[in-house]
Structures are given as C-alpha cells and as structure tokens.
Amino acid sequence: MDTLLIDGGRPLRGIVPISGAKNASLPILIGTIVAPGEHRLANVPDLVDTSSMLSLLGRIGCPSLVGDVTRIDTSRVAFCEAPYDLVRKMRASVLALGPLLARCGEAHVSLPGGCAIGVRPIDQHLKGLEALGCRFELEGGYVHGRVDKLRGTEFRFDCVTVTGTENVLMAAVIAEGTTVLENAAAEPEVEDLAAFLSGCGARIEGAGTSRIVVHGVPTLRPPPTAHRILPDRIEAGTYLVAGVITQGNVRCEGVRPSDLAPVLDVLRTAGAQIECGEDWVSAGADGRVRAVDVETAPHPGFPTDMQAQLMALLSLAKGSSRVKETIFENRFMHAAELGRLGAQIHIEGNLATVTGQPHLSGATVMATDLRASASLVLAGLAAGGRTEILRLYHLDRGYERLVEKLRAVGAEVVRGQEGRPKFAVNAAVA
Ligand code: EPU
C-alpha cells in the first residue's frame, strides 16, 4: 500500500494553485440528473471521491467524460439505486437520494452507516424530503424512497447539515409551489450548488444564508455555459497552514478569500502573516505562532474540516490552546497520532487542550480520515527528520496532486511503499 514519506523541517515558499472544491463537486455532479441533458462542468478536481461519484452516475445510466471540462449525459436515467459498494466507499453517495427522487420518483440508496469521524445519521435528509411528500422505508440496509408528486413546504432542520440541505434543495427545485428551508447550511458549497441549479433554470433565493426559499419549476435543463466549481477553501486552508507551520510563506492562487475568512481570522490571531488579493491569499510566519482558542461551527464559523490541520499548527505554538469540536463527536482521532510526533494533546470529551512544543520529530503515523491525514502531513512537514504516513488513500480522496503541489513549494515528499526499509546502510560503513 502507498505511504507518504516526508523529510520535514524545511520552510515552504511559493505558489500553490487551488483546485475545485470536492464538497461542491459531489452534489453538483449528482445534481446534474435533475436537469436531463448534456452537462459541462469546469474545475472538477481529479480525486477518488469525484471518480466515485462519476461511477455512481455511470451505474444509474449517465455516462461521463473527464477532462478540463467534465461532460455528463443525464438524458436517460436507467436505474435509481446507489448500491452499498459505492456508498461504503464514499458517504456522499447519499446525495443521490434527493436528485433520484426528483428525477425518477423513486430512490434506493444504501444506508451510509457511521465513519471514523462519527455516527453521522441522515434523519434530517429523510425528514426534509418527507416534508416535500416523499415516503421512506428502511429495509435490507437500504433507504427505499418514493414520491408521486413533490410539493413545496416549510421545513426547519433540527441541526445544520450540509449534505442534508443539499439533498432537500435538489428535490425542492422541481417541487410544485414554494419551499422554505429554515436553519439551512450556509456553506459556500451549498451556495455553489444553488448557483449551478439556478443556471439550470431553478428559482432559489437566500442560498449561502440559513433561510433558503425555492420557487419550484416544472423542469430544468443543463446550463448553456459550463458551470465552474468554486475553489476548495479547505484545500487552500491546508496549504496556508503549511506556510505558517514551516515558518515559510505559501500563496494560494485561484481562491475566494471571503470563503476563507474564518480560517484567516484564527491564523491572524495566532500571529501568522496574512495577505489577500482578489483571488489569492498568502500565509507565513517568521517564528512559532501563539496559542489560540478555537471552536468549530457551521459556516461562517471555523470549519470542522480545518480543525485537525489547525491542531497540528497549535502543537507547535507558544502556550496552551483549547480546541472545541462541536460538529462531529469523534473528530480527534489525529490527536494520538500527532502525539507520536511529540505533540502534547489532552482530550476530554469534545475539548482538546494542546500544549505547544518547540519541536516535533518525525515518526511513522497512521491516518484515520481525510483531514486527520492532512494534519499529519502538516506536522510531518514541520517535524525534524522523517515522517511516514500510512493509509495514503484518505488523502487521495480529497487533495488533488498533493505531492506535486507540496514539492513545488519546496517540500521533500515522495510516495513510498508500506514495509519497504527506509534506512540504507551508509556505503562508507558497509
Ligand atoms: N447530522 C444529523 N442528522 C442528519 C445529518 C447530520 O444528526 O440527518 C449531524 C451529523 O452527525 C453531524 C452534524 O449534523 O454531527 C453535521 O453533519 P453534516 O450533515 O453537515 O455533514 P455532512 O453533510 O455529512 C459535509 C462535508 C464534510 C464536512 C461536514 C461539516 C460533504 C460531502 N461532506 O458532511 O466534509 O465535515 O459537511 O461541514 O460535503 C470532509 O471533506 O473531510 C468532510 C468530512
């Protein structure tokens, strides 16, 4: 199995081009089925997760062609199922529920189950779709959904859910009448999905806020010009932390700085040097940052998807930081692995106390999920000596051309093979 080998301790300097957002691409890719025809999408990142979503589209009868512009033909939908083998690889396959019900009046989606970061139920997806007139049965590990006619409704989510909001939105756009969604997720990725659907002829107001109003239309069609996926704010945030943690300076290009505001605020408070232009942001530091207290929250709060990366940075800060995770109940799995590099992190419930250390030192570590892996990469880049990260496949799900992008800013990083010896005998000694 592939691993990542990092020789750390080098300041990273230079430019990183930011890819399209994974979490905007996934709902938009499957959302194409709500508007029958030939779609073109620009800036879809080449990731394992986007390939999985294209496989799901293929399984339901919608072929695609990947390129600078990804083409998907949703003229015909032959099957209305998201099977277990795809859902278990990628939880976001549950995003097929709303679009399949909207397009076919029927959907059979394998239940995703929990994952490394928590239980992750889908009750809010189902309640929201039920409010639009869908009926569900749970049987054989599947959610079986049916609807005769989608009807506009008023629905309030009990908790803020990103994919839940997206699922309900993708059905509401072709419901009869008006739908009002309260306590909706305001994440930029939801806004991008709404922009895509609006390009297809949907009438949506308030996307990007917690109240979304949808005036249903009878049919949608592919947008006349290719929709361009918004830049990945989490990928950008990860590279910005790389600039700061290595006491270098990294400039991320092709971003929307406003989407990064909650992350930039925290980095500034920690003493990082931040500069922003219209479509770029740079971050760096001359020495160790200061400790900060942070609490994750739905957008525009500090994103849970940056919590692990920030924790890597705070492991090297001057002073003691408190990090509270309020979105997922089990998202501190990286703390123990960071500990193998010398980080001092004490976990109590959803609160982590991070006592900053002057140095970390390389070790072999194992990643449990995508962002945990990213935090280990960041810590490895700053640590003295060699770090080996096992289970590299998590990173391939969410970071396009990671090794290439890191090497371009001066990182010593290569893909390796698990179990291969790392220490050659010095020729002079042997
Ligand atoms: N929740 C419920 N019931 C539901 C839905 C959610 O109780 O029906 C709870 C969850 O268990 C969690 C909280 O609500 O405690 C928020 O979960 P949310 O539904 O917002 O998460 P998600 O939609 O499954 C998306 C991203 C995640 C990101 C979260 C939070 C995608 C494909 N995934 O997940 O991204 O962490 O929102 O912002 O958009 C990642 O990219 O690494 C990643 C995990």
Side-chain angles (χ1 to χ4, degrees), residues 22-23 26 91-92 117 120-125 159-164 166 187 304-305 327-329 331 370-371:
K22 167 178 85 75
N23 289 349
L26 298 175
R91 258 198 118 263
I117 64 175
R120 303 182 78 179
I122 58 161
D123 57 302
Q124 297 301 307
H125 302 230
C159 63
V160 178
T161 159
V162 175
T163 50
E166 291 166 346
E187 267 65 5
T304 174
D305 288 347
I327 310 290
F328 292 111
E329 65 277 18
R331 212 175 193 180
L370 171 58
R371 308 303 171 188

Side-chain angles (χ1 to χ4, degrees), residues 152-205:
T153 186
E154 288 195 10
F155 179 74
R156 185 178 177 83
F157 291 96
D158 296 333
C159 63
V160 178
T161 159
V162 175
T163 50
T165 301
E166 291 166 346
N167 243 335
V168 180
L169 178 62
M170 289 189 278
V173 284
I174 63 148
E176 188 180 275
T178 296
T179 299
V180 181
L181 301 178
E182 304 276 5
N183 200 25
E187 267 65 5
E189 292 75 20
V190 177
E191 209 181 332
D192 202 33
L193 170 65
F196 163 73
L197 293 168
S198 299
C200 297
R203 292 177 55 213
I204 304 168
E205 295 155 17

Side-chain angles (χ1 to χ4, degrees), residues 245-322:
I245 199 172
T246 61
Q247 301 181 15
N249 198 295
V250 168
R251 173 168 156 143
C252 292
E253 293 200 336
V255 299
R256 295 200 321 199
S258 57
D259 291 344
L260 281 154
V263 174
L264 299 182
D265 284 350
V266 170
L267 292 178
R268 265 192 210 100
T269 309
Q273 296 144 5
I274 306 288
E275 283 185 56
C276 293
E278 203 177 312
D279 66 350
W280 61 268
V281 177
S282 69
D286 291 333
R288 288 169 70 197
V289 295
R290 293 188 289 273
V292 277
D293 291 342
V294 178
E295 190 171 318
T296 61
H299 193 77
F302 186 85
T304 174
D305 288 347
M306 280 299 298
Q307 180 257 105
Q309 299 90 315
L310 183 73
M311 200 180 283
L313 177 65
L314 298 178
S315 300
L316 283 160
K318 285 185 200 152
S320 181
S321 309
R322 285 147 58 94

Side-chain angles (χ1 to χ4, degrees), residues 382-426:
R386 175 164 287 193
T387 294
E388 181 177 31
I389 301 176
L390 309 183
R391 296 195 180 164
L392 193 55
Y393 53 84
H394 288 296
L395 284 164
D396 293 335
R397 285 188 38 226
Y399 289 90
E400 190 179 44
R401 295 186 282 111
L402 174 81
V403 170
E404 192 184 312
K405 289 186 187 190
L406 283 174
R407 289 179 72 88
V409 290
E412 286 285 333
V413 48
V414 288
R415 284 178 98 104
Q417 284 287 314
E418 197 170 342
R420 185 174 287 178
K422 292 185 282 294
F423 303 101
V425 176
N426 185 331

Side-chain angles (χ1 to χ4, degrees), residues 48-311:
V48 171
D49 272 13
T50 48
S51 302
S52 300
M53 196 54 102
L54 290 169
S55 301
L56 174 56
L57 280 161
R59 293 271 191 104
I60 63 179
C62 302
S64 56
L65 194 63
V66 174
D68 280 350
V69 171
T70 295
R71 291 163 189 273
I72 307 157
D73 184 358
T74 62
S75 309
R76 214 178 122 253
V77 169
F79 301 96
C80 48
E81 179 185 345
Y84 182 60
D85 66 309
L86 286 177
V87 178
R88 101 188 132 81
K89 273 196 225 139
M90 187 187 57
R91 258 198 118 263
S93 310
V94 77
L95 281 165
L97 200 53
L100 281 175
L101 283 161
R103 176 75 184 264
C104 316
E106 201 177 325
H108 308 274
V109 175
S110 173
L111 271 170
C115 69
I117 64 175
V119 180
R120 303 182 78 179
I122 58 161
D123 57 302
Q124 297 301 307
H125 302 230
L126 303 184
K127 269 173 105 173
L129 291 166
E130 269 169 359
L132 288 167
C134 304
R135 303 176 308 281
F136 293 103
E137 275 171 36
L138 303 183
E139 207 202 307
Y142 272 73
V143 182
H144 302 280
R146 283 197 174 73
V147 63
D148 299 326
K149 181 134 199 66
L150 289 161
R151 289 185 205 283
T153 186
E154 288 195 10
F155 179 74
R156 185 178 177 83
F157 291 96
D158 296 333
C159 63
V160 178
T161 159
V162 175
T163 50
T165 301
E166 291 166 346
N167 243 335
V168 180
L169 178 62
M170 289 189 278
V173 284
I174 63 148
E176 188 180 275
T178 296
T179 299
V180 181
L181 301 178
E182 304 276 5
N183 200 25
E187 267 65 5
E189 292 75 20
V190 177
E191 209 181 332
D192 202 33
L193 170 65
F196 163 73
L197 293 168
S198 299
C200 297
R203 292 177 55 213
I204 304 168
E205 295 155 17
T209 75
S210 59
R211 185 172 192 268
I212 303 179
V213 180
V214 185
H215 304 289
V217 294
T219 52
L220 298 178
R221 33 130 192 81
T225 53
H227 176 83
R228 188 173 173 81
I229 303 288
L230 94 168
D232 197 315
R233 64 196 167 104
I234 305 301
E235 186 200 21
T238 304
Y239 286 108
L240 293 174
V241 172
V244 179
I245 199 172
T246 61
Q247 301 181 15
N249 198 295
V250 168
R251 173 168 156 143
C252 292
E253 293 200 336
V255 299
R256 295 200 321 199
S258 57
D259 291 344
L260 281 154
V263 174
L264 299 182
D265 284 350
V266 170
L267 292 178
R268 265 192 210 100
T269 309
Q273 296 144 5
I274 306 288
E275 283 185 56
C276 293
E278 203 177 312
D279 66 350
W280 61 268
V281 177
S282 69
D286 291 333
R288 288 169 70 197
V289 295
R290 293 188 289 273
V292 277
D293 291 342
V294 178
E295 190 171 318
T296 61
H299 193 77
F302 186 85
T304 174
D305 288 347
M306 280 299 298
Q307 180 257 105
Q309 299 90 315
L310 183 73
M311 200 180 283

